[in-house]
Amino acid sequence: MKDLIKLRILFPAHLAMTLALVPIFGVLRYFTLLPLNPNLTFQFMEGAWNWAVPLLLVGVVYIFYYRHRINGIQFKRNQDRAQDGLTMVSLFTGWIMLLLTGGYVEQRFGKLVELEFPSHLTLEPKANFYTIDSYEIPQNWGAMNSKWYTSGKYNSTLHFELLFASPFLNTTYEMLPEAPQVWYGVKFKDSMSNRKSDEEKEKYFEAFKEQCLKKMENWDFKQALYFKNVPKSEDFFLYNQAIANRINVNSENQFIILEAVMEPFADRVKDKALWIFLTWLIGTAIFLLILHYGKPRKGFLENYPQLRSRYRSWQDEVWDKFSFWKNGPVSTAFLWILAILTFLMACSGVLGGYLDHPFLGDWGALRRVEVNHGDWYRLFSYGLLSTGPFLGLLNLGIFGYIAGEMEKKIGPLGFMLLSVSALFFGALVSLYVHPMYWVAGASPWVLGLISGYFLNGIDSKTLTITNLKPWILIAYVGLSFVLGFFDRMDHAANLGGLSGGFLGYYLFKSFQKRQDYPF
């Protein structure tokens, strides 16, 4: 009987985090397969579909459903650790299933287009896969790029990747264009222990490079049974970078890269659908094994609505910051905008955290040339953007930490005046100091709010050094100053935002005094 109650408490949440998400993610992935256009800035990176979107979906289920149900299961020993173990099993199972689902949908429903010559590719609608009846590849002519990265515990393994690209020609008699549009891509991989010395790593890589170059000299370019169109991904950017350097042009990621597939097109799906189900069976078996050692909390199902609101954690405190019912409408709306844009920009390839990223202009970043051409909205839109997930989450966290409180203290109009002043003066100073530099990020805005927070605290005599919040804000100001030396934040914009916050607050106080003393 107790086992049945335990299943009634938590098994629906496990199903919601695993099986229920498969059709949702499958349909979402299906409608994003085509049109396939790697040049589109707002298209998600391949890594986003493998990591960010699946984790977002399972995270939503956890926040709104799973974490409340897990409190209905008790354990005699290591209560928190056992509950975390159950949660991780469900979460990891759901993520692996979505990862396999994405691969299945792409392979099963990806569009195959048959071409007579490679030049016809630019005339056809974008597709995932291609067959080309007749083509030629110039021998020993192409571009090369490399990538190094680490993996494993303590970054114990060093990986090498070499990417080669050669242009497609229609016939052997065709002259090589100045900037061929369609390229044949080949990738090689190898790895070694990362504990070796730098000299040994360099020697190993050079030997690997020589080996790959010899393979490319005798590469059979006609062995491909069909080609996969490389989607927007790190490999896609590396290929384009190599091609642009080889032919000395600014690629703007315009080249089409096709990688050869040596297996028959009919075998592309294989057992992916079966592995989705087997993953669920294995994950569920582990879940039930751990659940067996727990016991149901007495009266949990009968009093679930009341108990759900009683058990609060740090996740509830974070979620409260996004609630329109518990915070000011203006600051909460901007918090949602910052969170959504941070996620979308990271998924679209704005990852490094560096200023002057080439994609920033498409999102509304600030630069003098665009402002001179009439894009005045950039004087404010740059503050809603993110240059990478780390800085985006940092600014988002401090904004949520202070914005709601400031709106309650000075009202929605005062908050808007403070925000507009910080963003405007941050933009003016940045345009003067860095006229040809893309600038984006919420740090000038946040620093302006911090200025207002301290001035308000001094005016109302509520600012005390024994309170933790001022020290957290001071630490953020110091971190912003340090990151500016690494091109992660713009000192000029931050200084302007800080000054704009001071000015905006004094304008607010002046307006407030006029309202109190109209004569």
Side-chain angles (χ1 to χ4, degrees):
M1 186 66 180
K2 288 185 178 180
D3 288 337
L4 182 60
I5 296 174
K6 288 187 291 185
L7 288 175
R8 288 179 58 197
I9 291 174
L10 197 58
F11 197 65
H14 175 74
L15 289 177
M17 193 178 280
T18 54
L19 279 180
L21 290 179
V22 169
I24 296 174
F25 182 69
V27 171
L28 179 64
R29 193 69 188 96
Y30 174 79
F31 285 107
T32 55
L33 284 177
L34 295 173
L36 188 66
N37 183 7
N39 305 323
L40 183 63
T41 300
F42 304 103
Q43 180 182 314
F44 277 12
M45 296 277 287
E46 186 179 38
W49 290 114
N50 294 339
W51 293 90
V53 177
L55 288 176
L56 175 67
L57 291 176
V58 297
V60 167
V61 174
Y62 170 76
I63 290 173
F64 291 102
Y65 189 42
Y66 195 102
R67 69 187 179 96
H68 300 294
R69 307 288 291 196
I70 193 68
N71 290 317
I73 305 298
Q74 295 177 310
F75 294 87
K76 290 182 179 180
R77 297 179 180 179
N78 298 322
Q79 166 83 0
D80 293 338
R81 186 174 296 180
Q83 287 184 347
D84 291 343
L86 272 173
T87 302
M88 291 306 298
V89 169
S90 298
L91 190 149
F92 192 70
T93 302
W95 173 66
I96 293 295
M97 291 176 68
L98 296 187
L99 184 63
L100 293 171
T101 299
Y104 172 79
V105 172
E106 181 182 0
Q107 296 293 330
R108 174 65 178 81
F109 299 102
K111 184 180 180 182
L112 174 68
V113 172
E114 298 179 358
L115 303 173
E116 184 177 0
F117 296 105
S119 60
H120 295 173
L121 188 147
T122 56
L123 307 176
E124 295 285 339
K126 298 293 183 181
N128 302 88
F129 308 104
Y130 295 94
T131 60
I132 304 176
D133 295 336
S134 178
Y135 64 90
E136 294 293 333
I137 305 294
Q139 289 289 339
N140 302 323
W141 196 98
M144 182 184 72
N145 210 341
S146 61
K147 179 174 70 172
W148 298 35
Y149 61 96
T150 58
S151 67
K153 193 174 183 180
Y154 308 117
N155 294 325
S156 58
T157 304
L158 178 65
H159 300 270
F160 308 109
E161 289 188 6
L162 278 174
L163 297 92
F164 295 88
S166 298
F168 274 96
L169 300 177
N170 289 333
T171 65
T172 55
Y173 306 105
E174 181 183 357
M175 294 291 294
L176 186 68
E178 290 186 3
Q181 291 297 301
V182 188
W183 293 71
Y184 187 116
V186 180
K187 182 168 68 173
F188 298 99
K189 300 179 181 180
D190 202 352
S191 61
M192 66 175 295
S193 172
N194 198 30
R195 295 186 176 90
K196 302 288 186 180
S197 66
D198 291 342
E199 183 179 352
E200 289 177 299
K201 294 175 186 176
E202 191 69 32
K203 185 177 180 180
Y204 188 92
F205 174 75
E206 290 299 326
F208 170 63
K209 181 179 175 180
E210 288 297 323
Q211 182 182 12
C212 294
L213 287 171
K214 289 182 179 179
K215 288 182 179 179
M216 290 304 300
E217 289 178 1
N218 302 305
W219 190 263
D220 183 5
F221 291 98
K222 296 297 184 71
Q223 64 181 332
L225 296 181
Y226 66 98
F227 296 93
K228 178 185 177 181
N229 191 348
V230 177
K232 185 178 180 180
S233 59
E234 187 177 4
D235 285 352
F236 176 77
F237 296 138
L238 288 173
Y239 276 124
N240 270 267
Q241 184 184 56
I243 295 168
N245 293 336
R246 181 66 175 85
I247 62 178
N248 197 25
V249 299
N250 182 12
S251 76
E252 297 182 351
N253 300 317
Q254 64 180 342
F255 301 113
I256 301 170
I257 315 298
L258 303 183
E259 286 185 339
V261 182
M262 311 305 176
E263 300 176 353
F265 186 74
D267 297 343
R268 67 195 185 283
V269 177
K270 294 184 178 179
D271 299 325
K272 283 187 171 64
L274 177 62
W275 274 108
I276 296 172
F277 183 66
L278 288 177
T279 300
W280 182 79
L281 287 180
I282 295 170
T284 301
I286 299 172
F287 170 85
L288 293 176
L289 179 63
I290 299 175
L291 185 64
H292 174 73
Y293 293 98
K295 63 178 182 179
R297 189 183 295 273
K298 187 176 180 180
F300 182 82
L301 290 175
E302 293 79 2
N303 303 294
Y304 176 65
Q306 295 80 10
L307 291 173
R308 175 176 176 174
S309 59
R310 190 172 74 182
Y311 293 107
R312 291 181 59 82
S313 64
W314 64 270
Q315 293 101 325
D316 295 288
E317 300 296 329
V318 173
W319 183 244
D320 285 346
K321 300 294 183 180
F322 291 86
S323 173
F324 284 93
W325 292 272
K326 297 182 179 181
N327 298 282
V330 177
S331 60
T332 305
F334 281 128
L335 189 66
W336 273 104
I337 293 172
L338 285 172
I340 292 171
L341 285 178
T342 296
F343 177 78
L344 292 179
M345 292 182 72
C347 290
S348 300
V350 184
L351 295 170
Y354 289 98
L355 294 170
D356 212 27
H357 193 288
F359 287 170
L360 291 178
D362 297 330
W363 289 91
L366 181 69
R367 195 170 64 169
R368 184 186 291 184
V369 175
E370 281 67 27
V371 174
N372 288 341
H373 289 164
D375 293 349
W376 296 99
Y377 68 91
R378 295 179 183 270
L379 294 172
F380 304 99
S381 63
Y382 80 97
L384 299 173
L385 308 181
S386 164
T387 57
F390 169 73
L391 292 178
L393 291 175
L394 175 64
N395 290 330
L396 183 68
I398 300 298
F399 185 91
Y401 190 56
I402 190 178
E405 182 178 346
M406 282 301 298
E407 185 175 357
K408 290 178 182 178
K409 287 182 177 180
I410 63 178
L413 291 178
F415 181 84
M416 282 296 298
L417 178 61
L418 193 66
S419 300
V420 169
S421 179
L423 289 171
F424 181 71
F425 279 92
L428 287 185
V429 177
S430 179
L431 288 175
Y432 178 78
V433 178
H434 304 299
M436 303 305 295
Y437 201 71
W438 282 118
V439 173
S443 55
W445 188 6
V446 174
L447 289 169
L449 294 179
I450 291 175
S451 298
Y453 174 85
F454 279 102
L455 289 174
N456 182 267
I458 294 171
D459 280 348
S460 60
K461 298 180 180 180
T462 57
L463 186 66
T464 60
I465 61 174
T466 57
N467 193 349
L468 181 62
K469 178 170 282 190
W471 295 108
I472 293 177
L473 299 180
I474 291 172
Y476 172 81
V477 175
L479 181 61
S480 302
F481 180 75
V482 172
L483 290 174
F485 290 107
F486 298 93
D487 291 332
R488 300 300 182 99
M489 288 188 178
D490 182 10
H491 278 152
N494 286 347
L495 179 61
L498 202 63
S499 304
F502 278 105
L503 180 61
Y505 183 79
Y506 279 117
L507 288 174
F508 162 73
K509 294 299 291 185
S510 299
F511 176 77
Q512 192 178 48
K513 288 179 179 179
R514 287 187 181 182
Q515 293 293 100
D516 293 339
Y517 306 104
F519 304 105

